[in-house]
Amino acid sequence: GAVVSQHPSWVICKSGTSVKIECRSLDFQATTMFWYRQFPKQSLMLMATSNEGSKATYEQGVEKDKFLINHASLTLSTLTVTSAHPEDSSFYICSARDISSGSWNEQFFGPGTRLTVL
Amino acid sequence: GQQVMQIPQYQHVQEGEDFTTYCNSSTTLSNIQWYKQRPGGHPVFLIQLVKSGEVKKQKRLTFQFGEAKKNSSLHITATQTTDVGTYFCAGHGNTDKLIFGTGTRLQVFP
């Protein structure tokens, strides 16, 4: 149980285009999902917290107009990188918290999406 | 803001040698989690510690949570080439945000 998927697993796009990344909880419901970004040889940096039915909460320094987050259902959150540039190339990872879990500590991570912007 | 640092940044060991990575938080943590990320892969959950002074073992891996709940360590006994990867600690403060440490990259030479 507690499987989180991401789609696509990798994507290459041209500079200026937008890319949508999906994060799904496959066998549980998640009121909260988290989006992380990881540059090569660096740690995971929290970008935003995605809450079902409400606006996402962005971390300091993350442009909300550039990284659009939509959490329309209890099993799906999407991250859209708008007008992507080469510096947006990174590994994007989501995690989800099980709504039924008594512990809010428990998060389940997706396999990540590797974005390359040419 | 909350910061979680790990040392060392890199560690190269000969197969069979022991390895330890240390994790230090600028603030008290409600829990500490450890993840392993293989080259090209995504972080994989290893364990969670919650209690002050808690020690847990998984085969050759020993995890410890400090008494003050601000630091933690991961010790691997007799490393194997399969232990290669980056080890991250991560913890919650008083929010549901999981803050990752800077990571320790382990290389094991046969």
Side-chain angles (χ1 to χ4, degrees):
Chain A
V3 178
V4 176
S5 70
Q6 280 186 242
H7 178 81
S9 55
W10 59 270
V11 56
I12 301 173
C13 70
K14 293 182 179 180
S15 185
T17 61
S18 294
V19 175
K20 180 185 284 188
I21 302 170
E22 294 184 348
C23 177
R24 292 181 185 273
S25 56
L26 298 185
D27 51 2
F28 68 96
Q29 293 183 322
T31 52
T32 304
M33 292 184 174
F34 303 89
W35 286 96
Y36 296 82
R37 179 169 53 184
Q38 184 180 34
F39 291 109
K41 298 184 180 181
Q42 293 188 25
S43 185
L44 279 75
M45 298 301 296
L46 180 64
M47 298 177 65
T49 301
S50 170
N51 298 297
E52 187 266 337
S54 64
K55 291 183 178 180
T57 304
Y58 291 82
E59 294 300 301
Q60 192 173 7
V62 178
E63 299 176 57
K64 61 180 182 180
D65 294 330
K66 181 169 182 61
F67 299 98
L68 301 179
I69 291 173
N70 185 280
H71 193 155
S73 77
L74 287 173
T75 59
L76 173 65
S77 175
T78 60
L79 168 67
T80 301
V81 183
T82 62
S83 187
H85 291 289
E87 57 265 30
D88 298 323
S89 299
S90 187
F91 194 41
Y92 293 86
I93 307 172
C94 71
S95 71
R97 205 169 70 206
D98 188 344
I99 190 175
S100 64
S101 172
S103 167
W104 55 260
N105 293 339
E106 197 162 12
Q107 296 179 21
F108 304 96
F109 281 81
T113 297
R114 199 165 298 278
L115 170 64
T116 301
V117 184
L118 302 177
Chain B
Q2 181 182 3
Q3 291 185 327
V4 183
M5 306 296 292
Q6 284 181 249
I7 55 171
Q9 189 175 5
Y10 304 100
Q11 183 81 60
H12 299 170
V13 300
Q14 203 74 33
E15 189 174 24
E17 292 181 338
D18 292 355
F19 160 77
T20 304
T21 172
Y22 299 92
C23 173
N24 292 285
S25 171
S26 59
T27 59
T28 301
L29 302 170
S30 60
N31 64 76
I32 193 82
Q33 299 177 3
W34 283 92
Y35 293 81
K36 176 183 179 181
Q37 185 176 26
R38 294 181 183 273
H42 63 278
V44 174
F45 176 81
L46 295 177
I47 207 163
Q48 175 174 273
L49 304 170
V50 179
K51 298 177 182 177
S52 170
E54 188 172 10
V55 178
K56 286 188 177 180
K57 291 189 176 184
Q58 287 181 350
K59 298 183 180 179
R60 296 179 293 104
L61 278 60
T62 302
F63 305 84
Q64 188 169 16
F65 200 8
E67 294 289 342
K69 301 184 78 173
K70 295 181 70 174
N71 55 70
S72 179
S73 65
L74 158 59
H75 180 82
I76 302 178
T77 303
T79 55
Q80 300 175 359
T81 54
T82 53
D83 295 326
V84 167
T86 301
Y87 292 85
F88 292 101
C89 64
H92 290 94
N94 56 2
T95 72
D96 61 356
K97 296 180 184 179
L98 184 62
I99 306 300
F100 276 78
T102 49
T104 296
R105 191 181 311 162
L106 173 64
Q107 181 63 260
V108 180
F109 295 109

